[in-house]
Amino acid sequence: MRVLNVHLADHSYDILIDHGSLSALGQRCAEIRLIGNAAVITNPTVAAFYADTVASSLKAAGNNVTVIEIPDGEEYKNATTLNSVYDALIEAGIDRKSFIVALGGGVVGDLAGFAAATFLRGIPFVQVPTTLLAQVDSSVGGKTAIDHPRGKNLIGAFYQPKLVLIDTDTLKTLPEREYRAGLAEVVKYGVICDLPFFEILEKECSAIQAMDQNVLQKVILRCCQLKAQIVEQDEKESGLRAILNYGHTLGHAYETGAGYGTLVHGEAVAIGIALAAHISMSLGHCSSDDVARIEALLNAFKLSFEPPAVERHLLLNALTTDKKVAGGTISFICNSGIGGHIIEKFLPEQLIALAGLEV
Ligand code: NAD
Ligand code: MG
């Protein structure tokens, strides 16, 4: 087992990475005095594979267990679903000594985390992420949220889990497209913070795609370390944490502009990474060789970075309404070579022009 401690003053916690560890969840929770009533929040897709193992493990450790299923999909990460979760928590007699287990991808993690942050003004929760994206990104860092009809993640809280348990075996049932999408976030960490890690990804790309357990766990651990280091320095995103947005500004514009459901988030991020690399090169922050290496790695992970045809006004609209726009200016994250970052500021129109998207 690989263990990473996230150091955050009075709410530090461990990330445990292993394979086959789902059945030890109850024991791991008991070790940090989480025992009593457990509410497992999941969705039917994930529950079909893993709810029994998780519930049995929690019961064996002495917990009463209630499994609460929410419908599968980003479109259900909303207030209506959240209310139904509150109802189920009340029905199950969940109190301040109880705890919530978020079993699933980022959608379940974000919504269950926000339920934990707000129910009874906050009860403990544990993340059990089952997608690659959730294991390397959303389960680490304490951002929880639901969507609003006017935008993604508009309602939320910073709320840290008591434990993150990553069982890499769960990735074996993940659709390949979702796995590849998670790899875009993995590439992101290498490009903006860690050249040696980028080189490992280049060298081990076949093993990663074959889910070689040793390599995969090292990769997930490194991503969690890098994200944890950034979050430890800037928990509430007043500065540094923004670098994690690399590839996301234009990626998000394409995700929205192409219409939700056309591109999976990570596929849009791959497009955003390639565009950000080109912009970084045109500003003199990296070489054409760096861009070629970044594109080659995306290619090796079968991530297409060819932007789909999206009308300019749709991109512009998405860029202007991005919640990270401040005073009309966008903080745009560039890569400095490979393994470094520089923050630039642009107007949305300037960014479209720099990306060469004047169609
Ligand atoms: P997701 O949660 O929708 O999961 C993708 C699909 O895979 C779903 O259909 C899900 O049911 C299925 N699935 C999950 N685990 C599975 C498994 N082991 N086997 C088979 N199927 C499985 O998507 P995601 O990419 O994990 O997360 C996206 C969400 O994460 C977005 O809502 C995004 O806003 C959020 N997010 C949050 C943060 C954060 O810091 N809190 C960071 C990044 C993304
Ligand atoms: Mg992302």
Side-chain angles (χ1 to χ4, degrees):
M1 180 170 62
R2 293 169 166 87
V3 182
L4 172 70
N5 183 258
V6 183
H7 304 277
L8 290 166
D10 57 344
H11 42 254
S12 296
Y13 58 93
D14 283 341
I15 301 174
L16 311 180
I17 304 170
D18 206 349
H19 61 105
S21 53
L22 221 50
S23 52
L25 177 68
Q27 195 188 328
R28 298 288 169 232
C29 290
E31 283 164 9
I32 53 166
R33 293 185 305 283
L34 289 180
I35 194 153
N37 276 337
V40 178
I41 302 180
T42 186
N43 71 30
T45 314
V46 179
F49 293 116
Y50 306 113
D52 285 351
T53 309
V54 163
S56 307
S57 171
L58 289 164
K59 280 180 193 155
N63 293 286
N64 292 320
V65 180
T66 307
V67 176
I68 301 170
E69 287 187 17
I70 61 172
D72 187 357
E74 177 76 34
E75 65 272 36
Y76 298 105
K77 198 177 106 175
N78 60 25
T80 308
T81 309
L82 181 66
N83 271 323
S84 73
V85 168
Y86 291 144
D87 291 346
L89 292 172
I90 293 167
E91 188 69 28
I94 296 298
D95 60 17
R96 280 237 179 84
K97 295 198 188 84
S98 312
F99 62 104
I100 285 177
V101 174
L103 172 68
V107 168
V108 164
D110 277 13
L111 185 138
F114 187 59
T118 47
F119 190 68
L120 303 177
R121 298 196 183 86
I123 64 169
F125 94 111
V126 171
Q127 289 270 21
V128 184
T130 62
T131 63
L132 182 59
L133 178 132
Q135 296 184 353
V136 299
D137 189 356
S138 64
S139 69
V140 184
K143 280 190 183 177
T144 71
I146 56 167
D147 301 334
H148 183 274
R150 296 289 291 274
K152 270 189 78 174
N153 298 325
L154 287 190
I155 300 153
F158 287 100
Y159 194 65
Q160 303 293 342
K162 296 288 181 209
L163 176 73
V164 180
L165 184 140
I166 297 177
D167 181 346
T168 47
D169 274 347
T170 59
L171 299 179
K172 290 178 184 162
T173 55
L174 194 64
E176 198 205 328
R177 189 176 178 191
E178 295 291 345
Y179 185 69
R180 271 192 276 116
L183 288 172
E185 303 283 358
V186 173
V187 171
K188 175 189 82 175
Y189 288 111
V191 176
I192 50 164
C193 352
D194 192 343
L195 175 60
F197 179 59
F198 186 91
E199 287 167 347
I200 290 172
L201 297 177
E202 290 180 318
K203 196 165 141 259
E204 300 286 8
C205 71
S206 305
I208 293 166
Q209 290 180 87
M211 292 195 201
D212 174 286
Q213 280 301 324
N214 187 37
V215 175
L216 183 59
Q217 285 176 32
K218 278 191 201 155
V219 165
I220 292 172
L221 175 69
R222 188 68 192 135
C223 293
C224 291
Q225 278 172 338
L226 290 166
K227 181 154 183 189
Q229 278 167 16
I230 293 165
V231 172
E232 282 164 6
Q233 291 173 63
D234 179 24
E235 187 182 353
K236 305 263 166 86
E237 192 159 339
S238 33
L240 182 68
R241 193 168 177 161
I243 68 167
L244 295 171
N245 214 30
Y246 179 76
H248 281 62
T249 305
L250 289 164
H252 184 243
Y254 272 99
E255 193 176 359
T256 318
Y260 274 110
T262 312
L263 291 168
V264 173
H265 175 71
E267 292 168 346
V269 170
I271 294 166
I273 288 176
L275 288 169
H278 278 277
I279 291 174
S280 304
M281 178 179 72
S282 67
L283 296 171
H285 297 321
C286 72
S287 68
S288 57
D289 281 356
D290 294 332
V291 177
R293 272 178 84 179
I294 293 167
E295 290 187 342
L297 186 58
L298 292 171
N299 254 330
F301 286 138
K302 301 192 188 72
L303 285 160
S304 163
F305 47 83
E306 198 59 50
V310 175
E311 285 178 50
R312 186 179 180 278
H313 78 274
L314 290 176
L315 289 175
L316 201 53
N317 193 33
L319 284 175
T320 332
T321 51
D322 193 307
K323 69 176 179 304
K324 300 207 163 69
V325 177
T329 319
I330 297 177
S331 285
F332 187 78
I333 316 304
C334 292
N335 54 292
S336 169
I338 295 178
H341 51 264
I342 293 176
I343 305 181
E344 296 275 7
K345 292 203 185 309
F346 299 116
L347 295 170
E349 298 79 13
Q350 287 176 311
L351 199 51
I352 299 264
L354 270 171
L357 302 173
E358 302 224 59
V359 283

